[in-house]
Amino acid sequence: MGMLRRLDLRADTLPRAAVLRGIVPRAAIDVDAALEIVRPIVDAVRERGVEAALEYTERFDKVRPASVRVPAAALAEALGTLDPAVRAALETSISRARAVHAEQRRADVVTKVVPGGTVTERFVPVRRVGLYAPGGLAVYPSSVVMNVVPAQAAGVESLVVASPPQADNGGLPHPTILAAAALLGVDEVWAVGGAQCVALLAHGGTDTSGEDLEPVDMVTGPGNIYLTAAKRLLRGLIGIDAEAGTTEIAVLADDTADPVHVAADLISQAEHDPNAASVLVTTSEAVADAVDAALAPMVGSTKHTERIRTALSGPQSGTILVANLDDGIAVVDAYAAEHLEIQTADAAAVAARVRNAGAIFVGAWSPVSLGDYCAGSNHVLPTGGCARHSGGLSTQTFLRGIHVVEYTEQALRDVADQVVTLAVAEDLPAHGEAVSARFAR
Ligand code: HSO
Ligand code: ZN
């Protein structure tokens, strides 16, 4: 028996998508339960601002920063002392991400509906955003890049990066987080994490220095279940991105896949968290067996063995055997993975048939870790099946289409009767009168 539990769907005709969704492995993450824990935190920060946020910081992060806002000198110092190799790698990551995200900005769309009547969809950036980079089991300067680059590409005018303070860094966020922010040209960083962070970003406050901490219009970025719960609670007051929960990878493989590559990639995302999910969907029992055989020694010899073993052997991970690639596509669509690798013959054609995934990695030379850091794509992606209805972070996340309507007198006159008719049909005659009043005199 391998580390991955196995589900054999080869004998049966596949159930329909809604049923299949309940069969594929998936972590039982209960954000609703976290809502009750998070509600008093959000209330306290709304009522007592920074004071409450610092109390929760002390309780959860075991440190009390001197101020929420990180002093400019600390950002400069972090950049000055950054390992040159890490700096060069971050610069590669940033420049590739900038190249991709610059092209994602959609141009305004002007439609001439009739002579004298136009509707324009004008894309306007959100004015001020809060971008979250988690602490926890690992620190993610790469997530600073993935949040900041699209916001900047969208033209967001004011942005703050937030990350939990670290007890062993004098109450500042991790130095590489600070350095990444500085490298991106961000000058506002807050040392606060978790639910209290989202609440402070949403409501703003007054820092210990007396400085104003201005509330934001939108919060994006991955975090733990409490941060996610706080985003759900505050959604409406602020905009949020798709929920980015515990990371997950699915690999769709046929008998051409290299089992060592597949095993390495399954391990790579399991490394994030004991609750991370690694799912192999394959038409080949031989590949499934070979992946199992490859996993054991590889898991044993990497650094975070225990975390990975827990993730791979958990109920959220597993191997699913399918009769053919069509069934494989149906299964990965039902799963709607955050990351989906296609390791099959003619991988691009297979990838083109996939409907649900946060990001698709095509062929033998496009592993998820490339996308995590240096592909140019974004790594803040929907998890937990949210890829059925949402996409990952992109430049468009930070833009709203405003519909601008402009009709001339004649163009309105030409359609006045139809407006009146529909208004009467909805028993809203005053709607129609707003049009007819213009032509009564
Ligand atoms: N795979 C994570 C992102 C990440 N990986 C950051 C390494 N660092 C979620 O897409
Ligand atoms: Zn990763």
Side-chain angles (χ1 to χ4, degrees):
M1 255 293 276
M3 226 171 287
L4 294 168
R5 71 203 181 92
R6 206 172 271 195
L7 187 63
D8 193 340
L9 298 180
R10 287 174 300 181
D12 325 313
T13 45
L14 280 187
R16 64 193 166 86
V19 178
L20 202 49
R21 230 184 279 153
I23 295 175
V24 293
R26 177 131 266 152
I29 292 175
D30 191 357
V31 177
D32 285 344
L35 288 177
E36 296 320 308
I37 298 169
V38 157
R39 205 181 298 273
I41 301 176
V42 168
D43 289 345
V45 174
R46 188 186 58 237
E47 284 157 21
R48 295 191 294 113
V50 164
E51 193 43 47
L54 288 175
E55 281 167 24
Y56 287 111
T57 301
E58 250 188 304
R59 188 188 309 172
F60 299 128
D61 301 307
K62 313 282 176 237
V63 62
R64 187 182 179 93
S67 60
V68 170
R69 178 144 184 188
V70 172
L75 287 174
E77 195 197 325
L79 187 55
T81 54
L82 181 64
D83 177 335
V86 176
R87 180 177 178 139
L90 277 172
E91 281 168 345
T92 300
S93 172
I94 292 167
S95 70
R96 291 183 181 201
R98 286 209 199 285
V100 170
H101 290 78
E103 301 215 330
Q104 287 173 347
R105 196 195 198 293
R106 269 161 55 196
D108 295 354
V109 187
V110 186
T111 304
K112 209 166 172 233
V113 184
V114 288
T118 63
V119 175
T120 302
E121 189 177 21
R122 195 174 84 204
F123 291 106
V124 181
V126 175
R127 195 189 72 79
R128 177 164 160 84
V129 302
L131 310 172
Y132 190 73
L137 286 178
V139 287
Y140 293 118
S142 58
S143 296
V144 179
V145 175
M146 298 301 171
N147 275 283
V148 170
V149 166
Q152 288 177 335
V156 169
E157 162 186 313
S158 170
L159 57 87
V160 46
V161 167
S163 193
Q166 309 228 310
D168 58 5
N169 193 33
L172 293 172
H174 192 277
T176 319
I177 297 275
L178 300 181
L183 209 48
L184 286 152
V186 173
D187 61 5
E188 187 174 355
V189 180
W190 292 5
V192 60
Q196 60 277 19
C197 174
V198 185
L200 194 61
L201 286 167
H203 292 291
T206 304
D207 208 347
T208 52
S209 60
E211 192 186 348
D212 185 36
L213 298 173
E214 201 197 338
V216 303
D217 301 307
M218 185 171 186
V219 174
T220 66
N224 65 18
I225 190 166
Y226 301 108
L227 181 121
T228 302
K231 277 167 136 185
R232 259 197 209 174
L233 270 185
L234 287 157
R235 145 172 246 168
L237 176 62
I238 51 169
I240 60 171
D241 53 345
E243 284 185 12
T246 314
T247 204
E248 53 197 31
I249 176 175
V251 180
L252 177 59
D254 65 10
D255 57 4
T256 67
D258 182 326
V260 172
H261 295 180
V262 174
D265 295 354
L266 294 174
I267 288 172
S268 76
Q269 299 307 303
E271 181 175 47
H272 279 290
D273 196 286
N275 291 314
S278 297
V279 174
L280 170 61
V281 180
T282 183
T283 52
S284 164
E285 192 164 7
V287 165
D289 291 343
V291 169
D292 269 338
L295 280 174
M298 290 169 83
V299 171
S301 64
T302 188
K303 181 172 180 188
H304 301 294
T305 300
E306 273 324 302
R307 201 190 292 167
I308 293 165
R309 200 192 303 279
T310 306
L312 292 179
S313 55
Q316 74 276 20
S317 298
T319 296
I320 303 173
L321 290 170
V322 287
N324 52 56
L325 265 180
D326 288 347
D327 284 4
I329 291 170
V331 168
V332 297
D333 270 344
Y335 184 59
E338 179 192 24
H339 309 98
L340 173 65
E341 288 186 356
I342 308 291
Q343 305 226 23
T344 63
D346 214 355
V350 174
R353 294 173 57 201
V354 171
R355 183 190 293 271
N356 300 329
I360 305 178
F361 296 83
V362 182
W365 309 106
S366 312
V368 170
S369 341
L370 169 68
D372 280 348
Y373 297 116
C374 288
S377 54
N378 207 288
H379 80 204
V380 182
L381 300 165
T383 62
C386 289
R388 277 190 300 120
H389 50 75
S390 300
L393 224 55
S394 82
T395 301
Q396 285 297 127
T397 305
F398 297 98
L399 293 158
R400 295 142 305 139
I402 300 182
H403 288 225
V404 183
V405 178
E406 190 170 5
Y407 270 53
T408 60
E409 179 180 350
Q410 187 57 47
L412 178 62
R413 191 186 295 276
D414 290 345
V415 79
D417 286 350
Q418 281 88 337
V419 174
V420 169
T421 301
L422 288 172
V424 169
E426 292 192 342
D427 192 25
L428 298 170
H431 282 64
E433 283 149 21
V435 170
S436 49
R438 289 174 154 75
F439 301 113
R441 275 166 293 146

